[in-house]
Amino acid sequence: MLNSFRQSMAWLHTWFGLVLGFVLMAAFFFGALSVFDREIDRWSNPATRFEPQPMPSYDKVLRPAFERMQPTKDAVDAMRPRVNGDMPQRFDTVVSWSAYTTHRDPVLALYAGYEVPNAKDPEEAIWAYGTIDPRDGRVLSNDQLKIGSEFFYPMHYSLTLDWKNLGFWIVGFSALVMLAALVSGVVMHRKIFREFFTFRPDKARLRSVLDLHNLTGVVALPFHFFFAFTGLVIFAGTYYFPVGHTQLHDLHELHAQIEANETGLPHERAGVAAGLASVDDMVAQAQRRWQAKDKAGDVGFLVLQHVGDANGYVSVYRAGTDRIALVGDGIHFKASTGELIREDPPASAVGRVSEFLTGLHLQHFRHWLLRWLYVLGGLAGAVCIATGFVFFVEKRKRQHAQQGSQGARIVDALAVTTATGMVLAALGILVANRLLPETLPGRGDFERYAFWGTWALAFVHAGLRSAPVAQGRANPAWREQCWAIAMLAVGAVALNWITTGDHLLKTLTAGYWPVAGVDLFLLFGATVAAVTARKLTKNAAIAQPRIDTEPAHV
C-alpha cells in the first residue's frame, strides 16, 4: 500500500486529518468567530451596547468598584480543600487589583486577588472577577455570559474542557498533528501552484469537492501553518511544558527574587502598612511618557500590586493597538508616593520576535481589513477540513455499501455533526441568549446548555438520517441541517430586533457596527446555508458519477 514516499504522505494526510479533523474544525470555526469576540459580546449583552470607553479614573470609578469585590461562594468552596482550617468570612489582604480593556470594549473587566490565611500553598491567592460600566462604575451581572470572549474564544483553544487542562492538550495535540498534515499535503501535491487557481464546480461532485479541498488548503496554507505553530508556542510554557512551576519551581522562585531586586518591583509584601498616592496622576505621567516617544497613549491594563503595603507598586501598560506586536510598554510607580520606579526597556531581538508572533496571533491591533482576512483564513480552514470529510465519504461509500461496511456512514454522520451541527450549536446559544429572561439566575449556564444540547440533537439527527450512506447514497441530514441553519440565523436576527429594538436599519443608521455586523453576518450565513440546501435538494436524486482518474493522495 505504501510503495512510495508520496503514498506514505497520502496515508498520513488522510488518516491524521480524519481522526483529528473534528477537533481542528472547532478550532478553525470558533477561531474565526473569536476575531470579533467583543462584537459578539455586544450583540449578546444589550446593556453593553455603547461606544468603547477609555480606562476610567481610579479614584472616582475603579477604587470603589475594587473595594466592593469579594470572591464568590463557588470560589471559596473550591479553595476550601487547599486551606488548613476555616475560611474567613471576608478577605482583606489584597494581593493585586487590576483592570483590563481593549479598543473594542465598552465595558471594563476587573480582577482582584486576595491572600488566603493558612493556605497550604502560601503563594496561592483566591480571585474575584467583575465587569463594570466604566462611565459610572455600575456593576454588570456576571450571569450575563459574554458569548464571544467567554465561550466562543475558549472553544477555539480549549474546547471549554477545563478539567486537568484536558481541552488545551487535545487542541494542542491536534495542532501538532495538523502541522504534519500540512507538510504531508505539500509533499503530495506536485502541482500545488496550479491547484491555487483550480476550482471546477460543474465537474462531477467528487472532483469539485476535491478541488475545493485543495483550493482552500493551498490558498490559506501559510495562515494555517503560522497559526498552528504560534498557538503551540504561546501555550507551551503555560500548559504543555510548565517546567518553571514544576520541575524548576525553586529556580523559578530564585529568578523572581533576583528580578525583583534588579527591577525594583518587590516580589513579596513588606508587612508594613502604607497609603496610596494618586493613581490618576501616575496614569497621566505614564501617558505623557508614551506621547513623548510618539506612542499611542491608551491605557489597556492597570495593576496595583501589594495593595496597602509598603512594597506596593502600580503598573500602567499601554494598549498597543497601533502596532501588531503585543507590546505593553509598562511604566511602574511606587504606590505610596507615586515615584517612578522603572520604565520597561526595549525588548531584545528575541523578545521582539516573540512580541510580534504573539501579537499577530492574538490580533489586539486596530486593523479591520486584517481582521477580516483572519476570519476568511479560519473559515477556509474549516471548509478545507469539511470537504476532506465529504471527499473521504464520497470516495468510499459505494465500496462500503457493497461490502456491507458501516464505516462511511459513521464518518459521514460525524462530519455532519462537526460541520453543520457545530454551526447550529453556535446559533442555538445566540437564540437562547435572546429568549431567556435577562434576570434568570444562572442564565449563562442555561445558554451553555442550549449550545451543547443543540449540538447533541444535531449529532442524533445526523446519525438517524445517515442510513442512505450505507446504501451508497447521500445523507439527507446535510441539506436538512442547512435549512435549519438558515432558519435559526434569521430567527436570531429577528429575536434581536424584537427583544432590544435594535433592528438593522437602526444600527446601520447609527453606525453601531458591533451589532449591525453580527446581524449582517448572520443573514449572510443564512443565505449561504439556504443556497447550499437548495443545491443539495436538487442533487439529492441525481446519481453521482465517479471521476475517471482517482486522485493520487487517497
Side-chain angles (χ1 to χ4, degrees):
M1 181 179 67
L2 305 179
N3 297 324
S4 70
F5 180 68
R6 288 186 65 248
Q7 286 181 327
S8 299
M9 291 297 99
W11 182 92
L12 179 73
H13 184 84
T14 299
W15 291 103
F16 274 21
L18 178 65
V19 174
L20 293 173
F22 305 107
V23 175
L24 293 173
M25 270 283 288
F28 275 123
F29 178 70
F30 289 106
L33 296 185
S34 298
V35 174
F36 290 105
D37 57 346
R38 261 58 180 193
E39 288 70 22
I40 296 173
D41 287 347
R42 305 289 77 75
W43 190 94
S44 62
N45 295 320
T48 67
R49 293 181 182 180
F50 50 89
E51 293 303 316
Q53 304 293 311
M55 185 70 70
S57 164
Y58 174 82
D59 295 329
K60 296 179 181 178
V61 177
L62 295 182
R63 183 165 190 162
F66 281 131
E67 290 175 343
R68 291 192 300 264
M69 294 179 68
Q70 281 290 291
T72 64
K73 181 180 181 301
D74 289 342
V76 173
D77 291 341
M79 185 71 188
R80 200 179 303 276
R82 302 192 295 276
V83 175
N84 295 317
D86 296 331
M87 297 284 281
Q89 293 296 317
R90 180 178 175 83
F91 296 88
D92 295 317
T93 304
V94 180
V95 175
S96 72
W97 282 340
S98 57
Y100 175 77
T101 190
T102 75
H103 67 284
R104 298 183 293 129
D105 265 321
V107 298
L108 192 69
L110 301 183
Y111 310 90
Y114 303 89
E115 281 191 1
V116 182
N118 302 317
K120 295 178 181 178
D121 181 358
E123 294 188 1
E124 185 175 11
I126 188 170
W127 291 88
Y129 307 94
T131 304
I132 65 170
D133 183 336
R135 299 172 299 182
D136 55 16
R138 178 172 56 93
V139 178
L140 302 177
S141 173
N142 282 331
D143 280 344
Q144 302 292 315
L145 174 66
K146 299 174 184 175
I147 291 177
S149 60
E150 293 181 354
F151 191 78
F152 288 166
Y153 182 43
M155 277 291 297
H156 163 60
Y157 58 79
S158 71
L159 306 177
T160 69
L161 298 176
D162 298 328
W163 182 76
K164 301 292 185 181
N165 295 326
L166 180 61
F168 289 93
W169 281 98
I170 292 174
V171 174
F173 179 70
S174 300
L176 185 64
V177 171
M178 175 185 163
L179 293 177
L182 289 174
V183 172
S184 62
V186 171
V187 173
M188 289 154 41
H189 293 283
R190 290 173 293 186
K191 300 176 181 178
I192 192 170
F193 184 76
R194 187 184 71 178
E195 290 170 347
F196 189 93
F197 302 98
T198 302
F199 179 50
R200 294 161 287 187
D202 298 328
K203 291 287 186 179
R205 183 181 182 186
L206 198 61
R207 172 54 67 185
S208 60
V209 167
L210 181 60
D211 282 349
L212 186 57
H213 176 73
N214 292 337
L215 177 65
T216 52
V218 172
V219 168
L221 178 63
F223 175 91
H224 299 157
F225 190 92
F226 172 83
F227 278 88
F229 174 73
T230 55
L232 289 170
V233 171
I234 289 171
F235 286 122
T238 306
Y239 294 102
Y240 306 141
F241 304 105
V243 292
H245 296 280
T246 53
Q247 287 89 345
L248 303 180
H249 180 270
D250 294 339
L251 186 60
H252 178 270
E253 289 302 305
L254 178 60
H255 175 267
Q257 295 173 10
I258 295 174
E259 185 178 46
N261 293 332
E262 292 178 349
T263 62
L265 304 178
H267 179 57
E268 298 176 345
R269 299 175 70 89
V272 178
L276 180 64
S278 173
V279 175
D280 291 345
D281 289 345
M282 300 179 208
V283 170
Q285 183 179 346
Q287 291 176 314
R288 288 194 298 270
R289 288 179 173 273
W290 292 330
Q291 291 167 1
K293 298 179 180 179
D294 294 325
K295 296 178 179 179
D298 295 334
V299 178
F301 193 35
L302 178 65
V303 183
L304 284 76
Q305 200 75 17
H306 309 316
V307 178
D309 189 83
N311 275 352
Y313 61 92
V314 176
S315 299
V316 187
Y317 295 93
R318 195 167 68 86
T321 54
D322 57 327
R323 62 194 66 194
I324 290 177
L326 192 64
V327 180
D329 290 326
I331 300 179
H332 313 275
F333 303 88
K334 188 173 180 61
S336 58
T337 64
E339 173 190 358
L340 177 67
I341 299 177
R342 170 185 172 85
E343 185 170 355
D344 288 347
S348 64
V350 173
R352 287 195 297 271
V353 171
S354 175
E355 290 172 349
F356 180 79
L357 293 178
T358 304
L360 197 57
H361 189 110
L362 299 180
Q363 33 86 34
H364 283 216
F365 44 77
R366 294 180 190 263
H367 198 303
W368 296 106
L369 176 59
L370 190 53
R371 283 183 175 278
W372 277 109
L373 291 177
Y374 278 39
V375 172
L376 293 176
L379 294 180
V383 170
C384 181
I385 296 171
T387 50
F389 289 151
V390 172
F391 183 82
F392 183 92
V393 173
E394 289 296 315
K395 183 168 176 59
R396 291 165 175 79
K397 67 182 182 183
R398 289 181 179 85
Q399 179 184 357
H400 285 195
Q402 294 171 357
Q403 297 172 348
S405 171
Q406 298 293 312
R409 178 181 180 179
I410 294 172
V411 173
D412 188 84
L414 291 174
V416 174
T417 304
T418 308
T420 54
M422 181 170 57
V423 179
L424 282 172
L427 292 170
I429 194 174
L430 295 180
V431 170
N433 170 266
R434 293 294 83 230
L435 288 176
L436 292 171
E438 298 286 337
T439 57
L440 178 67
R443 186 171 183 267
D445 291 333
F446 285 103
E447 291 172 351
R448 293 183 181 91
Y449 299 153
F451 175 89
W452 295 113
T454 303
W455 208 343
L457 287 175
F459 170 68
V460 172
H461 172 259
L464 292 176
R465 298 289 283 159
S466 64
V469 179
Q471 302 168 6
R473 295 183 288 118
N475 188 346
W478 284 102
R479 63 177 182 271
E480 292 166 356
Q481 292 198 12
C482 282
W483 283 122
I485 289 170
M487 290 186 289
L488 277 181
V490 173
V493 175
L495 286 170
N496 175 52
W497 178 3
I498 294 169
T499 57
T500 68
D502 289 341
H503 53 79
L504 259 175
L505 182 61
K506 177 182 177 181
T507 53
L508 287 173
T509 302
Y512 194 69
W513 287 103
V515 174
V518 174
D519 278 346
L520 288 172
F521 192 77
L522 287 170
L523 292 177
F524 174 76
T527 302
V528 172
V531 170
T532 303
R534 288 193 62 184
K535 179 71 172 177
L536 292 175
T537 301
K538 289 180 180 180
N539 293 341
I542 301 176
Q544 302 296 327
R546 295 178 67 90
I547 56 177
D548 295 332
T549 304
E550 293 187 358
H553 72 290
V554 177

